[in-house]
Amino acid sequence: MSAEEQVAVVIGGASGIGWATAQLMAGRGETVVIADLDSDAADARAAALGATATAHQVDVTDGAGMRTLFDAVLDRHGAIGTVVDCAGISRPGTIADLSLDDWKATVDVCLTGAFLTVKEAARTVRDGGSVVLVASLNGRQPGVGMSAYCSAKAGVLMLTEVAAMELAPRVRVNAVNPGFVHTPLTYGATLVPGLVEEYLENTPLGRAGTPEDVAQTIGFLTSDAAGWMTGSAVDLNGGAHTMRYPDIVRRVSEMTTGS
Ligand SMILES: NC(=O)c1ccc[n+]([C@@H]2O[C@H](COP(=O)([O-])OP(=O)(O)OC[C@H]3O[C@@H](n4cnc5c(N)ncnc54)[C@H](O)[C@@H]3O)[C@@H](O)[C@H]2O)c1
């Protein structure tokens, strides 16, 4: 199937990594569906992409809503070639302090959302299509104060492998593990003195990522060039997975107590 006939659904496509991915796919001629909790942002992004793009509001944690989204895309376009789940949130806090609500919210968006993405993709993506789940460096590298996020992302990595087995050989399922990328999700971290610097000290290539860095890898994984890849997770983090993650809790504590 040519790129022009491809329909790509990008969940969490209204911001950051998802938006860069949506632009990359539109740029290679695909019809892009931007699905996001933030309907105003999704509408604006779809309008910016041009006539073939559409926006849908969806909560990635809502099974019925996700079913409605995929049914609507099938009704409109007849086939889905690519699904990318970029929806994510992070609620930091040590295990002793993190509320159960914050734990559940993070696991729900990051892991249950990925499960529902694969569940819908399994019944709607055409033969030869593919799914990419955005996991994280934190799926394999622990960070103090990040129990919910790290656990959810580690779950996404295992989900990717199980999904790859279950959907093969019809549909490929892969993941990406970005390190620190400047997006609205990480803006708060940039306000903590020393935190990004500590991250970069532990990054052999010495820089944070851009949403476009991640989109390029997602673009590869969803292309025919990756036709023999499934169940894989690609690390892209400037080599940070070889080092250690900053201690966010210590940095925030220093910032608030001044010591
Ligand atoms: N930025 C980083 O450093 C980084 C690193 C590793 C992994 N990631 C992962 O990359 C993905 C994209 O993150 P980003 O940095 O681009 O963040 P972002 O905040 O810029 O974008 C996330 C998008 O997800 C949407 N979203 C949030 N909750 C949702 C829900 N319940 N249903 C549907 N949409 C929802 C938001 O509205 C937003 O548009 C996330 O899974 C994140 O965990 C980010």
Side-chain angles (χ1 to χ4, degrees):
M1 188 172 278
S2 67
E4 293 72 29
E5 295 167 277
Q6 285 269 28
V7 174
V9 179
V10 184
I11 301 166
S15 178
I17 292 167
W19 171 229
T21 302
Q23 290 176 91
L24 181 140
M25 291 181 171
R28 65 186 187 189
E30 296 173 30
T31 299
V32 176
V33 178
I34 295 185
D36 203 290
L37 191 61
D38 185 340
S39 60
D40 289 343
D43 286 343
R45 297 305 200 187
L49 285 184
T52 62
T54 53
H56 287 256
Q57 185 182 26
V58 76
D59 180 345
V60 75
T61 70
D62 173 15
M66 287 286 280
R67 193 171 181 92
T68 301
L69 164 70
F70 281 80
D71 283 346
V73 178
L74 269 191
D75 278 352
R76 186 182 178 107
H77 299 290
I80 298 171
T82 303
V83 177
V84 185
D85 177 21
C86 300
I89 62 168
S90 177
R91 304 263 174 94
T94 59
I95 295 167
D97 294 332
L98 190 73
S99 71
L100 181 58
D101 282 350
D102 281 345
W103 167 273
K104 283 184 174 173
T106 306
V107 172
D108 229 21
V109 175
C110 292
L111 181 54
T112 307
F115 162 73
L116 289 172
T117 298
V118 174
K119 188 176 185 62
E120 291 306 319
R123 72 178 181 91
T124 58
V125 170
R126 64 166 173 77
D127 289 3
S130 82
V131 179
V132 173
L133 303 175
V134 179
S136 171
L137 168 62
N138 291 125
R140 56 178 293 189
Q141 189 180 66
V144 173
M146 299 184 68
S147 60
Y149 189 78
C150 291
S151 303
K153 294 298 189 179
V156 172
L157 295 178
M158 184 51 74
L159 176 71
T160 302
E161 296 192 20
V162 174
M165 295 168 74
E166 292 187 3
L167 273 60
R170 235 177 40 74
V171 172
R172 298 181 299 105
V173 185
N174 291 294
V176 291
N177 291 332
F180 188 92
V181 180
H182 287 286
T183 70
L185 184 73
T186 53
Y187 176 69
T190 67
L191 304 179
V192 180
L195 185 56
V196 176
E197 289 78 1
E198 185 180 343
Y199 176 82
L200 296 181
E201 280 163 18
N202 285 288
T203 301
L205 294 187
R207 73 165 175 90
T210 64
E212 291 72 27
D213 285 324
V214 185
Q216 289 290 342
T217 301
I218 294 172
F220 165 70
L221 288 172
T222 56
S223 74
D224 290 344
W228 204 40
M229 289 180 74
T230 196
S232 298
V234 179
D235 290 309
L236 63 156
N237 51 52
H241 65 283
T242 64
M243 313 279 280
R244 67 173 183 82
Y245 210 75
D247 186 335
I248 294 173
V249 171
R250 180 174 63 84
R251 291 280 177 190
V252 171
S253 161
E254 284 169 358
M255 182 176 73
T256 50
T257 63
S259 61

